[in-house]
Amino acid sequence: MEKSLFLAQIVSVGIIAYPIIFVSMMIEGDVVIFISFFLVSSGILDPATTFLVVFFGTIIGDTLWYHVGLTSEPKNKLSLWILNSSSKLTSKFDNHIKEKTFRAVFVSKFTYGFHHLILLRAGIIKTNFRKFIEIDILATIIWIIIIGSLGYASGASFELIKHKLEHFEIGVLAAVIIFIIIGEIISKILRKKI
């Protein structure tokens, strides 16, 4: 595959791409997974390494968010505001988090801006950590497979039409925009089901 300037930069970054993905998974998930596996399908990133980096970045990030909730003693106005805001938005889900933890964690992974609040709330209400981590591992594996497959398939599809596009970046951008739009639609539907 002929690589554009953008891809040449990613390839030249080499092994540094993996730490960037790892840290990014603690902040934002769907788009990072999608782009990572899009790049896997293009032969830029190694599939096994990418999966492991995405997986461990997610699990460590989710654990950190859970522990922030667990140790949420407001020490200043900002932390008090964050605690109160997350409580207002998510306290109505406390029973759901306790009784249907897998469903709450799994569905929240597909819901922009809601996943970290659910993780914080799970810590605040002191959900059993062992139960939480077991559920989070299973939910994370399924989530990575779903989003990663979409990214990989988009990359493979792009290979079929690449000769019609002037630059690879256009394909990546188009795929990400379509993914975000579909994600927002699914997110709105899933918020009603939590």
Side-chain angles (χ1 to χ4, degrees):
M1 176 177 151
E2 200 174 298
K3 292 178 178 68
S4 68
L5 182 59
F6 172 73
L7 285 180
Q9 293 301 319
I10 291 175
V11 171
S12 71
V13 169
I15 202 157
I16 295 174
Y18 296 111
I20 292 170
I21 293 168
F22 181 84
V23 171
S24 298
M25 288 308 302
M26 295 180 193
I27 302 163
E28 169 55 47
D30 292 342
V31 173
V32 176
I33 295 172
F34 185 85
I35 291 172
S36 296
F37 282 92
F38 189 100
L39 296 173
V40 164
S41 75
S42 301
I44 306 241
L45 298 176
D46 176 68
T49 305
T50 301
F51 181 86
L52 290 173
V53 167
V54 165
F55 175 77
F56 285 110
T58 301
I59 295 300
I60 290 170
D62 288 359
T63 302
L64 290 173
W65 284 101
Y66 171 88
H67 280 290
V68 167
L70 190 65
T71 59
S72 60
E73 295 295 325
K75 293 177 178 45
N76 56 42
K77 288 183 181 183
L78 177 62
S79 60
L80 180 61
W81 178 80
I82 291 171
L83 180 62
N84 289 338
S85 296
S86 70
S87 294
K88 287 178 188 173
L89 290 171
T90 57
S91 62
K92 59 185 171 186
F93 298 112
D94 287 358
N95 286 334
H96 192 72
I97 292 169
K98 288 177 185 175
E99 296 170 14
K100 298 177 183 175
T101 309
F102 177 81
R103 182 176 177 182
V105 170
F106 181 70
V107 170
S108 75
K109 286 186 176 288
F110 294 92
T111 311
Y112 290 110
F114 201 64
H115 179 60
H116 293 145
L117 292 175
I118 290 292
L119 298 175
L120 284 169
R121 196 70 196 163
I124 289 169
I125 63 173
K126 304 199 180 350
T127 303
N128 179 281
F129 181 71
R130 182 178 174 153
K131 175 183 175 184
F132 166 79
I133 200 68
E134 288 172 356
I135 285 170
D136 193 46
I137 287 170
L138 178 59
T140 298
I141 290 170
I142 296 169
W143 177 60
I144 292 171
I145 290 170
I146 292 169
I147 303 300
S149 296
L150 293 172
Y152 191 89
S154 294
S157 299
F158 178 73
E159 285 295 315
L160 299 173
I161 62 166
K162 72 177 180 182
H163 63 280
K164 295 182 182 180
L165 297 175
E166 188 173 324
H167 297 288
F168 182 81
E169 294 90 350
I170 296 170
V172 172
L173 181 62
V176 169
I177 290 171
I178 291 168
F179 175 74
I180 289 171
I181 291 169
I182 291 171
E184 282 298 314
I185 292 168
I186 292 171
S187 176
K188 287 181 183 178
I189 292 168
L190 292 177
R191 279 186 192 142
K192 295 176 184 174
K193 295 191 176 203
I194 290 187

